[in-house]
């Protein structure tokens, strides 16, 4: 198996649908899943690039593994359930600190899943859709929107992430481009999320290739020389 060119990681609380999103994109189907234990990954060939996509556990007992999976990540998908405000709050309270091990120029996408459970957007089975704040209203005042979390809330979190990472808003993608609403069940916006990120990480891959192979010494096969017994003169 070819070594991945870059890594993308999904983070979020349990039951927000991270695994279902990944199954929908990679296997083109919706699958009711059990909670992920530890982590799992897929290898996606995108054009001429190989991208590893890591799914992580949201359960508290596996929380510490998140920073290990995020190490060196080029992009992180922070996932919440649009029907549960607490799942968005948890992204800031529990999961943001795990991204400290990601690359310094890591991209962040905030994805609100389970939009199919609301009547905010007409989402049919198999509909891929495009992320459109005009259709998936960002306003909490919409009479048709029983969902608990609005795009405005996600964009506010995105700006907090930029401050946490000490990034200049002018030098990174705008919040409107990095906050999405999806349905793993119907497929709404799922392809759009992943492929938008893939396009964004291509320059990272090209830069890494231009810089050449890592200069890190491989010590996996290193064997120390046998020490000879020293002799003292008498």
């Amino acid at each position: 198996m070819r070594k991945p060119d870059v890594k993308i990681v999904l983070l979020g609380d349990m039951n927000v649908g991270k695994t279902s999103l990944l199954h929908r994109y990679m296997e083109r189907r919706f699958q009711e899943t059990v909670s992920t234990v530890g982590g799992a990954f897929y290898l996606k060939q995108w054009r001429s690039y190989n991208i590893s996509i890591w799914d992580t556990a949201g359960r508290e007992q596996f929380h510490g593994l998140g920073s290990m999976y995020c190490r060196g990540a080029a992009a992180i998908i922070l996932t919440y359930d649009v029907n549960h405000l607490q799942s968005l709050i948890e992204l800031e309270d529990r999961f943001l600190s795990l991204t400290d091990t990601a690359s310094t120029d890591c991209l962040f996408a905030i994805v609100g899943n389970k939009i199919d459970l609301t009547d905010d957007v007409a989402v049919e089975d198999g509909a891929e859709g495009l992320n459109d704040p005009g259709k998936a209203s960002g306003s909490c005042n919409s009479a048709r929107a029983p969902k608990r979390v609005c795009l405005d809330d996600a964009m506010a979190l995105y700006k907090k992430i930029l401050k946490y990472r000490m990034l200049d808003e002018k030098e990174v993608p705008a919040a409107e481009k990095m906050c999405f609403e999806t349905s793993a069940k119907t497929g709404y916006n799922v392809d759009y999320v992943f492929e938008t990120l893939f396009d964004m990480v291509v320059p990272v891959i090209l830069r890494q290739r231009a810089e050449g192979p890592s200069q890190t010494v491989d010590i996996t096969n290193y064997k120390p020389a046998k020490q000879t017994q020293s002799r003292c003169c008498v």
Side-chain angles (χ1 to χ4, degrees):
M1 182 173 65
R2 185 177 172 183
K3 181 180 178 182
D5 293 302
V6 77
K7 176 168 65 174
I8 293 175
V9 180
L10 283 86
L11 288 179
D13 207 359
M14 58 183 296
N15 297 326
V16 297
K18 300 184 300 298
T19 302
S20 295
L21 283 170
L22 197 46
H23 281 178
R24 167 60 75 176
Y25 181 67
M26 294 297 300
E27 301 177 3
R28 320 308 295 171
R29 63 190 176 91
F30 176 71
Q31 177 180 333
E32 295 285 356
T33 62
V34 296
S35 296
T36 301
V37 177
F41 82 101
Y42 283 88
L43 187 63
K44 172 68 176 180
Q45 184 171 359
W46 172 250
R47 299 173 185 162
S48 60
Y49 312 109
N50 285 292
I51 301 173
S52 64
I53 312 172
W54 285 83
D55 180 23
T56 61
R59 288 181 179 272
E60 187 72 38
Q61 59 263 47
F62 301 113
H63 185 68
L65 296 174
S67 61
M68 180 182 69
Y69 293 126
C70 288
R71 186 172 295 122
I76 292 175
I77 302 174
L78 292 164
T79 314
Y80 67 94
D81 180 347
V82 297
N83 304 287
H84 295 283
L85 179 59
Q86 186 61 33
S87 67
L88 182 75
I89 294 172
E90 290 292 306
L91 292 179
E92 180 179 4
D93 291 350
R94 287 179 51 212
F95 294 94
L96 184 54
S97 62
L98 301 181
T99 68
D100 291 348
T101 57
S103 63
T104 55
D105 55 355
C106 180
L107 296 167
F108 288 86
I110 303 179
V111 175
N113 191 36
K114 303 188 181 184
I115 192 69
D116 56 282
L117 297 180
T118 77
D119 59 11
D120 192 61
V121 182
V123 182
E124 299 179 356
D125 285 349
E128 300 301 341
L130 290 178
N131 198 64
D132 185 347
K135 293 181 180 179
S137 174
S139 172
C140 291
N141 296 321
S142 173
R144 296 193 313 111
K147 64 182 179 181
R148 301 293 182 180
V149 189
C150 305
L151 276 173
D152 287 343
D153 300 321
M155 289 189 281
L157 174 60
Y158 181 79
K159 292 178 181 179
K160 287 183 180 180
I161 292 172
L162 298 187
K163 289 182 179 179
Y164 177 81
R165 302 278 295 187
M166 294 185 289
L167 297 172
D168 188 338
E169 286 189 38
K170 298 179 181 178
E171 298 178 355
V172 296
E176 292 80 4
K177 294 183 178 180
M178 303 306 291
C179 296
F180 309 83
E181 290 181 336
T182 62
S183 168
K185 186 173 184 178
T186 68
Y188 176 77
N189 255 352
V190 175
D191 283 8
Y192 183 68
V193 169
F194 284 101
E195 293 174 7
T196 295
L197 278 181
F198 292 169
D199 277 333
M200 288 182 172
V201 299
V202 165
V204 176
I205 298 172
L206 296 177
R207 185 175 67 249
Q208 290 175 347
R209 290 183 177 181
E211 291 172 353
S214 172
Q215 298 301 311
T216 304
V217 177
D218 182 3
I219 63 171
T220 54
N221 296 317
Y222 173 74
K223 295 181 180 179
K226 293 183 179 179
Q227 293 184 349
T228 56
Q229 185 175 2
S230 61
R231 296 182 180 179
C232 296
C233 298
V234 263

